Amino acid sequence: APALQATRASLHSLLGGAAPGATGNRSRRRMQDLFVAVEVALALVLLAGAGLFLTSLARLQRVDLGFDPDNVLTMRLTLPWSRYEGEGIANFFEQLADQVETIPGVRSAASVAQFPPIEFTRQRFSLPDQVVESERELPVAFLTIASDDYFDTLGLPLRSGRVFNSLDQAGGQFVAVVNETFARRYLDDDPIGSRVKLGRVEDQELPWLSIVGVVGDTRNEGLRTRPAPEIYVGLRQVNGRFNQLFLVLRSEGDPHVLVPAIREAVAAIDPEQPVYAIRTLHEVLASGRAVEGFVSVLLSVFSMVALFLAATGIFGIVAYAVSQRVREIGVRIALGAGTGDVRRTIVRQALLPVLVGSTVGLGMAVALGVVLPGFLSHLASFEPVILGTVVIALGCVAATASYLPARRASRIDPIEALRSE
């Protein structure tokens, strides 16, 4: 851009001895002001984006999970079908939970097919007197296979009825526990005793489940969405249809120190059985916040760089403009202009492109909040507090960057300025 500006210089004015910037080259000034406005607009967008994502991340830290993640350790086991089938799977996990609970420091242990916020198994279900034309019209809920102690281990509150117990055996009455969202959306005010069937009503192979309890909601679809309907089925009543389950346990202190003892408990039952995906619930939750955290760090770094570049650009351009106007400033001071008047004039002229850039950047930031609502968890697309703070901060930086050259200009000796010309 400076090279293009240089090719447009007037040969007549140069040969005539006039300095190109002495009286202020309008084209060059417009180009400089444009660069300042663009720098300010991009810096404002990045600062606003960083503010939005940092606020989103902070709110994710405070979201109500519906359970207590403190001191909870999770690990995954996949039993080979060649050695385990039918009730053998349930027996293995029940025996493992019993042995783990004997380890010093373990408060409770349970087995479950999935747990929040990484639930993935869904199932279409039917309700009595429900009329649908095709299976696709059936409602969908999360289906979680869990042992008796799962709700106590994870800290899920019981709202009404009961959870699973030793009476819920294979071949007995099939029961289910649902969460509050399921009960509120599909059942009456008194959901206990209601029935639900996994799959279609016409499917005779699948039994009707009698709802015996309602537990609190969890963030079963992740931290960014509201709780979804969920059905819990007892581990002993699925007859070994699931061979891959999680062992979850709650400890008195740091659960990581219990990992060697837990591996020994697994090896005591089956020496060939591996254990993998060993993580605490806090580590699982942290991975769910990884997107916001990563984007927040990137935007914060880029916005600081953009803010520094904008401040440097404003300072450099204002300082350059002052150096080109030494004679003009000297004449103003010689004619009686005060130092305050000189400073205000220079700062006002410097802040005009900053104001234009801030206006454009503010519009772009608002559009950013509208375009990316799916990435802004628990955050309104437009938050005046964040954008106002960014505008004020950027304005202060711009004012400081323009004031420093203006202060230097106000101290120019008019005699020395005229003599240098």
Side-chain angles (χ1 to χ4, degrees):
L4 291 176
Q5 290 290 331
T7 60
R8 298 176 182 176
S10 172
L11 181 61
H12 179 270
S13 61
L14 290 174
L15 294 178
T23 59
N25 188 305
R26 292 184 178 180
S27 176
R28 179 171 298 179
R29 285 186 179 179
R30 283 197 296 267
M31 181 65 70
Q32 294 170 350
D33 291 345
L34 176 62
F35 283 142
V36 170
V38 171
E39 282 183 330
V40 170
L42 293 179
L44 193 148
V45 170
L46 288 172
L47 285 169
L52 288 171
F53 275 92
L54 286 173
T55 303
S56 172
L57 184 61
R59 292 186 179 181
L60 268 182
Q61 303 283 353
R62 301 190 300 268
V63 68
D64 183 14
L65 303 173
F67 58 91
D68 181 12
D70 292 339
N71 299 329
V72 175
L73 186 68
T74 69
M75 58 195 69
R76 203 167 190 173
L77 297 93
T78 302
L79 303 184
W81 291 112
S82 59
R83 298 203 308 270
Y84 296 92
E85 59 182 21
E87 296 182 359
I89 295 177
N91 293 335
F92 173 90
F93 281 100
E94 286 185 347
Q95 184 180 357
L96 176 61
D98 292 339
Q99 289 200 16
V100 169
E101 286 181 342
T102 64
I103 299 175
V106 176
R107 291 172 52 184
S108 62
S111 302
V112 67
Q114 58 189 9
F115 58 87
I118 57 170
E119 300 191 9
F120 42 82
T121 301
R122 298 174 182 262
Q123 175 70 46
R124 295 189 181 275
F125 64 91
S126 302
L127 298 171
D129 303 326
Q130 186 179 43
V131 179
V132 295
E133 295 182 0
S134 65
E135 186 176 355
R136 293 182 179 180
E137 297 181 7
L138 291 176
V140 179
F142 282 106
L143 175 63
T144 301
I145 310 301
S147 62
D148 300 349
D149 295 331
Y150 168 72
F151 305 98
D152 179 63
T153 301
L154 213 62
L156 269 66
L158 179 64
R159 301 305 187 192
S160 62
R162 67 173 179 87
V163 294
F164 305 131
N165 56 39
S166 58
L167 299 178
D168 302 321
Q169 298 289 338
Q173 181 185 12
F174 288 91
V175 299
V177 175
V178 298
N179 66 349
E180 289 181 291
T181 297
F182 186 98
R184 183 171 53 252
R185 187 175 301 181
Y186 299 111
L187 304 178
D188 299 329
D189 295 336
D190 186 13
I192 305 303
S194 300
R195 297 191 304 161
V196 61
K197 171 178 279 194
L198 303 179
R200 298 176 299 174
V201 174
E202 298 81 8
D203 195 342
Q204 300 298 325
E205 296 182 1
L206 298 175
W208 284 95
L209 305 176
S210 178
I211 297 175
V212 296
V214 178
V215 296
D217 287 333
T218 64
R219 295 283 174 170
N220 47 17
E221 279 196 299
L223 303 178
R224 304 175 183 84
T225 57
R226 296 181 180 276
E230 186 163 5
I231 303 173
Y232 299 90
V233 179
L235 175 60
R236 284 185 299 270
Q237 293 196 323
V238 297
N239 293 324
R241 296 183 181 181
F242 291 82
N243 71 320
Q244 187 177 83
L245 295 173
F246 290 92
L247 175 69
V248 294
L249 62 94
R250 184 177 296 276
S251 64
E252 299 289 348
D254 183 9
H256 286 104
V257 301
L258 302 174
V259 173
I262 296 171
R263 290 187 181 275
E264 292 180 2
V266 174
I269 303 174
D270 186 348
E272 299 180 5
Q273 177 58 46
V275 180
Y276 59 102
I278 303 176
R279 296 189 297 175
T280 65
L281 260 185
H282 280 298
E283 292 170 344
V284 175
L285 294 171
S287 64
R289 304 185 186 107
V291 174
E292 276 80 0
F294 180 71
V295 175
S296 298
V297 171
L298 281 183
L299 282 179
S300 297
V301 173
F302 290 154
S303 60
M304 291 300 102
V305 173
L307 184 63
F308 174 76
L309 291 177
T312 305
I314 294 171
F315 177 86
I317 288 178
V318 174
Y320 175 76
V322 169
S323 68
Q324 298 297 307
R325 299 171 60 188
V326 171
R327 183 178 182 182
E328 174 191 342
I329 294 173
V331 170
R332 287 177 179 272
I333 296 176
L335 293 178
T339 57
D341 296 331
V342 173
R343 293 177 184 178
R344 282 192 294 270
T345 299
I346 295 175
V347 171
R348 183 170 59 249
Q349 293 175 352
L351 290 183
L352 181 59
V354 173
L355 178 61
V356 174
S358 298
T359 303
V360 175
L362 189 62
M364 295 170 62
V366 173
L368 176 69
V370 174
V371 172
L372 302 177
F375 296 96
L376 306 179
S377 309
H378 313 290
L379 186 65
S381 58
F382 176 78
E383 292 212 358
V385 175
I386 295 178
L387 297 182
T389 302
V390 169
V391 171
I392 293 174
L394 191 57
C396 292
V397 171
T400 303
S402 59
Y403 175 77
L404 295 177
R407 184 181 62 176
R408 183 184 305 171
S410 65
R411 298 176 179 177
I412 291 177
D413 184 352
I415 297 178
E416 293 296 329
L418 295 175
R419 181 182 301 169
S420 66
E421 293 293 332

